[in-house]
Amino acid sequence: MRAAPTTMWRSPAAPVCLLVAAVLLSAVAAATAGEEYVKYKDPKKPIGERVDDLLSRMTLAEKIGQMSQIERANATSAVIEKYFVGSVLSGGGSVPSEKATAKEWQQMVAKMQKAALKTRLGIPIIYGIDAVHGHNNVHNATIFPHNVGLGATRDPKLVKRIGQSTAHEARATGIPYTFAPCVAVCRDPRWGRCYESYSEDTKLVQLMTSAMVPGLQGDAPARYPKGTPFVAGGMNVAGCAKHFVGDGGTRDGINENNTVLSFHDLMRIHMPPYDDAVIKGVASVMISYSSWNGVKMHENRFLITDILKNKLKFRGFVITDWQAVDRITTPPHKHYYHSIQETIHAGIDMVMIPYDYPEFVADLTTQVSNGSIKLDRINDAVSRILRVKFAMGLFENPLPDPRLAGELGDKEHRQIAREAVRRSLVLLKNGKHGEKPVLPLSKKADKILVAGSHAHNLGFQCGGWTVSWQGQGGNNVTAGTTILEAIKAAVDESTVIDYTEHPDKSSIAESAKEYDYAVVVVGEEPYAETEGDNLNLTIPSPGPKVIKDVCGLVKCVVVLVSGRPLVVEPYIGAMDAFVAAWLPGTEGHGVADVLFGDHGFTGKLPRTWFKSVDQLPMNFGDKHYNPLFPFGFGLTTKPSHSQS
Ligand SMILES: *[C@@H]1O[C@H](CO)[C@@H](O)[C@H](O)[C@H]1NC(C)=O
Ligand SMILES: *[C@@H]1O[C@H](CO)[C@@H](O)[C@H](O)[C@H]1NC(C)=O
Ligand SMILES: *[C@@H]1O[C@H](CO)[C@@H](O)[C@H](O)[C@H]1NC(C)=O
Ligand SMILES: *[C@@H]1O[C@H](CO)[C@@H](O)[C@H](O)[C@H]1NC(C)=O
Ligand SMILES: *[C@@H]1O[C@H](CO)[C@@H](O)[C@H](O)[C@H]1NC(C)=O
Ligand SMILES: *[C@@H]1O[C@H](CO)[C@@H](O)[C@H](O)[C@H]1NC(C)=O
């Protein structure tokens, strides 16, 4: 129809007839369906007009519903309809059933969505989940290396493809929104979330943020207004830059603690990735549990409203972290009524409640009704949420697409993950002083030893945020390949592999001479958030003993599986080669690809490798910088096409 005026002068008769016919037809269609024209439902209208039209039709209850995000466990059809719920989430490990298939996830989301569509205005819910290293809550999804490993790749193009694959896998389960990327600048590895950070270096975090946001959401066209949320289509997801701001700068790396910094240092170190995310059209920003100079971020109106919304011109929505409104007081929930007022006033748009929605709704309703919270603030919040929902096409395509179910754990995604693993490994030592390099290893050895707790443990190599919130050990957690399995697949058929999880020194001593070399794989066990805070950063036992026992008897390569640098200085001398593998995820083949020289080592440290914890925090650029391995360090090897 919009093309009609330009063509009409050439041949007036036909288009006019068509026009009349079309008008008649649509009138008939509308009459038979008993519907009048509703502007907000018209995808041809500009998003701003659709938002204003819809907002003008909404009751206070419907508006507060949009601001409410509840847990999937609570999201029955009746609750969604009664409270006009605007968003549902899966908390870490919250799944429709154990090992649920993509189809089962889709059915769950579709049922909730149908309830939302039945409400008076039919506003679709937006379902969100933490897809932070692939679609990690979902059984048999591709698990990519955690962000620290992606920082080591220094490869934004690869990171963008990981974002695309993650979006496809989320859509495979009917989910259009992920609480990612984490754009934290982790300044202290004692922090339990340090592996969720790409780097200690702001510039590297910016580089990866600028790649991951369009990976997940798609590329905004060149003339798209900056700061406006953008999601390209049904194969993309809305993203969420988190945790605003200074989450990685807390004292001693204590999770959710106080970040003591001048305004200028906060802007210089922790703020820049948000500017990049906003410029790329990120749909939402999640606030940090932490405080800045003693004030909880969730009640910081200056940083949320004045800086993020007004100065950076962010036009998507601001979401809380889990139960974070409760947690601005000690103990949590102490003055909930007042906490709602503080946080909404600060600029929060959507509240991850997630369980006690009746109390939240009642308290917020009272405060808006009696004027303690201004309706303008509510309208701003709801407009931002609706803007994202319109921008991502949720009104036009609210339901999961059954054709996408096959994207979950797709082969091509696993190839990308494998590439990411080999690009993320950092080679820190290769041969003792004066001796020749140990890596790449020969595939044609007669007999080799593979030892340690992390050699054959898929759960350990995936880390936290894998199937469950904290992650867990074992090999039946999800589909994937352990490092041992990858080594077996890489070496010659004739090579004998002795594998022992807990090597016994005397039995190794007996056959030490028979081994061409040993691969020792040790590291941290899975953790997430506060459970990962750690002031000693030692390799958990028996890791150090395994290193000393095996490396004392056999030429050894130590592969460390960990979310961060650990104390290795006491053992590094005993090792013949040392590889930081971070938390590589399900595609163990990527480790073998570089150990055996099918590909060269190229990874560079995304973090400073300290000597001892009393140096911490110590970051690249600091005055008294005295690391074991500096930021950016990483030895390289060339692919060995002909095996010796
Ligand atoms: C920081 O951690 C200390 C020690 O656990 C605690 O006493 C304090 O309340 C925390 N501060 C904040 C702002 O969370
Ligand atoms: C929401 O679900 C949680 C977990 O199942 C439950 O403990 C809580 O009571 C539910 N909330 C409401 C308001 O029913
Ligand atoms: C609104 O109601 C609450 C709870 O009854 C009360 O504490 C508060 O003072 C009221 N505010 C105004 C502006 O009336
Ligand atoms: C595999 O996982 C199931 C739970 O899904 C657990 O009950 C079982 O013990 C696990 N088996 C092994 C060998 O770890
Ligand atoms: C998950 O993957 C494993 C290994 O590929 C496979 O055996 C299993 O059937 C898959 N499970 C589901 C529910 O698809
Ligand atoms: C190091 O800290 C962690 C986390 O607090 C603790 O579990 C572990 O036992 C500590 N290790 C040593 C050797 O003190």
Side-chain angles (χ1 to χ4, degrees), residues 562-629:
S562 65
R564 50 197 161 187
L566 299 178
V567 176
V568 297
E569 198 189 24
Y571 329 109
I572 190 93
M575 305 175 190
D576 295 278
F578 178 44
V579 175
W582 316 110
L583 298 169
T586 49
E587 305 314 300
H589 287 303
V591 177
D593 286 344
V594 286
L595 288 184
F596 294 96
D598 291 325
H599 293 265
F601 276 92
T602 56
K604 302 288 177 209
L605 282 182
R607 312 200 53 79
T608 296
W609 205 293
F610 57 89
K611 291 177 177 165
S612 62
V613 283
D614 52 25
Q615 294 178 304
L616 298 175
M618 176 174 64
N619 294 106
F620 158 67
D622 286 358
K623 267 196 206 116
H624 305 287
Y625 194 64
N626 182 24
L628 184 61
F629 303 108

Side-chain angles (χ1 to χ4, degrees), residues 251 254 256-258 291 296:
R251 190 174 57 88
I254 299 172
E256 308 177 8
N257 212 260
N258 194 14
S291 301
K296 294 275 186 203

Side-chain angles (χ1 to χ4, degrees), residues 98-102 104 139-141 408 414 478-480:
E98 203 190 334
K99 305 197 173 178
T101 62
E104 287 164 335
H139 176 65
N140 279 4
L408 187 72
R414 293 192 186 277
T478 195

